[in-house]
Amino acid sequence: MPYKCLNKERKIYFKEESAKAIGDIAKIVLDFDGVLVYTLQSYYANIRKVVEYYFLEILGLEDGTGKRSLVTFEDIQGFKDTGLYNNDWTLTHAIITYYLAILVRKLQQRRVLNDFIKQFSDIQFSEISSFIKTLREIGSYCKRQGVNVTELAKMKNDGVLGIESLLKRVGEEGQPLETILTQILPHEESAQLKFIKKLVPYSVKKPDLLRRLFEESYLGKELFKKFYSIQPVFNFDECFLEKEKFFPTRETLHALYSKFGELAVYSEKPRSQAMYLLEKSGFKEYFDGNGLIFQEDINKSGRVQLGKPNPTVLIETVEKLGWKTGNIVYVGDTVADALLIKNARLQGLSNMLFFGVLCSSQNRDRLLSQFMGQDADAIMTDVNDIPYLYASLRGETSE
């Protein structure tokens, strides 16, 4: 086994051939969500809330039983473990698209699909209020055909069409769920998938439904107004951002800062939200102002494809800031993060190391195995273990 365990209780492992490189660290770059802050009760909870709100409140497919089991934290983790769904907007869009594909199959079974598509094929997003009104008409049509959220949720565990089965194919084929969905639609027609996507508009560069609903739900009405300078449509009171707590202690950040200088961030979190948390916690002083790369920087062209695991912007950042002396460590919490660094190395960024943290996963043992499979240089419970790992490999004390 190429990995050596330094601390079994804290699950601190390092790849033996990486020991010297870890001892020569010059710069630390951290992911934000899941690495710096705990997101299980924020982003994970918000993904579940948005999916349920779309089907229960907007489409109105409630059946009176009160069951709300469309998505669990384990389902969300399954999407993240594929390495293709690091972005939570994209992940949420994929889950809603999945259930809309199931809905289309149900309408086909009732022999009304052609009528349904004919009646609503002209749907177009222009502004949010009128679009939601049309979605409610669609929901009413589906309810008249006996389609409700409980019936959709039953399909989640289906041996062929269930989420776990389809995500297994995503992992094996390396194709996003949306591509595989064309094969489970009634006639395997891409035109049907295009119609489905029209029901949940998603864009990173123009007004849409998915991103707007997600951000309003995540931020709550007051912070949404603060960050976006527009009035909310949904008026959610709860704010998930305020629930995010930092993993590293001040002592850890001070130790990392003392050894490696100002810390950097490479994250798909919106800049305003990340800076809000850093300033609120008083941790901003430990970070390199020029080395804070957020969602706006990664998607600067408006193309979601530049997100993880695409290393384009990361490589540009390293070259721009001249991080070429010594080794750079990227600390991430998902398979997409590990693939980001693997891809960066393949494109010539040879001084890049990857540390995987397990703290945000629903299944730490599985993630540990996945990180080892992706050749992580070190794996640990959370960032508080980095000073201990570094000091141990250099024969120093961690104090």
Side-chain angles (χ1 to χ4, degrees):
M1 179 178 175
Y3 284 89
K4 185 173 181 180
C5 181
L6 275 178
N7 187 310
K8 189 171 291 186
E9 182 180 352
R10 291 289 296 176
K11 293 185 183 296
I12 303 177
Y13 297 84
F14 70 95
K15 195 163 64 171
E16 293 186 83
E17 64 186 67
S18 299
K20 184 177 185 303
I22 293 171
D24 291 331
I25 296 170
K27 189 75 174 180
I28 292 185
V29 185
L30 303 129
D31 190 11
F32 204 95
D33 295 321
V35 174
L36 281 174
V37 295
Y38 181 70
T39 57
L40 195 64
Q41 296 303 325
S42 57
Y43 274 121
Y44 278 51
N46 194 50
I47 290 168
R48 184 167 62 184
K49 178 180 175 181
V50 169
V51 172
E52 291 182 349
Y53 191 91
Y54 180 88
F55 287 98
L56 293 166
E57 304 298 332
I58 296 179
L59 291 183
L61 296 182
E62 179 68 83
D63 65 353
T65 65
K67 294 181 178 179
R68 302 192 173 200
S69 56
L70 286 172
V71 58
T72 64
F73 286 178
E74 289 75 16
D75 297 329
I76 295 167
Q77 191 66 51
F79 274 85
K80 288 187 174 293
D81 287 346
T82 67
L84 299 180
Y85 290 96
N86 186 73
N87 184 295
D88 291 322
W89 294 337
T90 304
L91 195 161
T92 307
H93 183 256
I95 295 174
I96 293 175
T97 301
Y98 163 75
Y99 277 115
L100 288 173
I102 296 298
L103 184 149
V104 163
R105 285 182 62 91
K106 296 297 182 183
L107 294 178
Q108 172 69 13
Q109 292 168 1
R110 288 160 170 80
R111 302 181 186 278
V112 296
L113 180 57
N114 289 339
D115 176 67
F116 173 74
I117 292 178
K118 182 179 179 180
Q119 187 167 332
F120 297 105
S121 61
D122 292 335
I123 186 172
Q124 294 291 340
F125 183 87
S126 57
E127 63 88 28
I128 201 160
S129 296
S130 61
F131 189 80
I132 288 175
K133 182 178 179 181
T134 303
L135 287 181
R136 287 186 172 136
E137 293 174 6
I138 288 173
S140 295
Y141 181 100
C142 295
K143 287 192 73 173
R144 289 196 299 272
Q145 304 304 323
V147 180
N148 57 53
V149 74
T150 300
E151 186 176 13
L152 296 180
K154 283 180 181 178
M155 294 300 298
K156 186 177 73 171
N157 299 316
D158 184 85
V160 177
L161 304 179
I163 288 178
E164 185 176 347
S165 299
L166 293 178
L167 288 180
K168 183 178 180 182
R169 290 182 58 186
V170 169
E172 292 172 349
E173 300 175 22
Q175 297 288 339
L177 179 65
E178 292 87 335
T179 300
I180 293 174
L181 286 179
T182 61
Q183 302 168 29
I184 74 167
L185 290 167
H187 303 296
E188 297 189 15
E189 295 177 0
S190 60
Q192 289 184 349
L193 184 60
K194 289 179 181 178
F195 171 71
I196 286 171
K197 288 185 175 182
K198 287 171 66 176
L199 303 182
V200 54
Y202 171 39
S203 172
V204 297
K205 43 182 185 178
K206 60 184 179 181
D208 69 336
L209 173 64
L210 186 283
R211 194 163 47 93
R212 178 66 177 266
L213 174 58
F214 189 100
E215 290 298 285
E216 286 202 31
S217 175
Y218 172 65
L219 294 171
K221 59 187 178 184
E222 296 304 324
L223 278 187
F224 179 80
K225 285 190 288 186
K226 174 183 175 68
F227 291 142
Y228 286 94
S229 300
I230 56 176
Q231 290 297 316
V233 172
F234 300 100
N235 288 308
F236 294 108
D237 289 321
E238 187 176 24
C239 176
F240 288 112
L241 179 67
E242 296 286 9
K243 297 182 178 182
E244 294 181 357
K245 306 299 181 185
F246 278 82
F247 280 117
T249 63
R250 183 173 294 278
E251 290 73 19
T252 292
L253 291 176
H254 182 75
L256 296 176
Y257 177 87
S258 298
K259 288 184 178 294
F260 311 112
E262 293 178 314
L263 306 172
V265 170
Y266 186 87
S267 166
E268 292 185 74
K269 192 180 191 73
R271 177 180 294 274
S272 59
Q273 298 170 19
M275 297 309 297
Y276 174 82
L277 291 176
L278 286 176
E279 290 168 2
K280 178 183 174 183
S281 66
F283 288 165
K284 184 180 175 182
E285 63 184 291
Y286 297 110
F287 291 84
D288 179 354
N290 293 320
L292 298 177
I293 308 302
F294 293 109
Q295 180 244 4
E296 296 87 343
D297 307 296
I298 296 172
N299 291 338
K300 59 187 175 183
S301 70
R303 291 181 293 142
V304 177
Q305 290 85 351
L306 284 184
K308 300 173 188 176
N310 187 315
T312 302
V313 179
L314 177 62
I315 293 171
E316 291 175 354
T317 300
V318 170
E319 292 175 347
K320 176 183 175 182
L321 298 180
W323 297 341
K324 295 182 178 179
T325 303
N327 293 316
I328 308 166
V329 171
Y330 183 72
V331 186
D333 66 308
T334 67
V335 174
D337 294 322
L339 290 172
L340 170 74
I341 302 310
K342 180 175 283 190
N343 292 337
R345 287 169 174 167
L346 289 173
Q347 294 189 32
L349 207 59
S350 59
N351 66 329
M352 203 84 196
L353 305 179
F354 177 70
F355 287 2
V357 294
L358 307 171
C359 47
S360 64
S361 178
Q362 287 285 284
N363 190 327
R364 294 185 179 185
D365 288 336
R366 181 173 64 191
L367 185 58
L368 173 66
S369 177
Q370 289 175 318
F371 280 152
M372 288 182 174
Q374 295 297 337
D375 295 322
D377 296 284
I379 305 163
M380 61 208 70
T381 296
D382 59 48
V383 293
N384 293 299
D385 298 321
I386 295 177
Y388 174 80
L389 168 70
Y390 179 81
S392 297
L393 293 184
R394 288 177 64 93
E396 305 170 357
T397 65
S398 57
E399 298 296 318

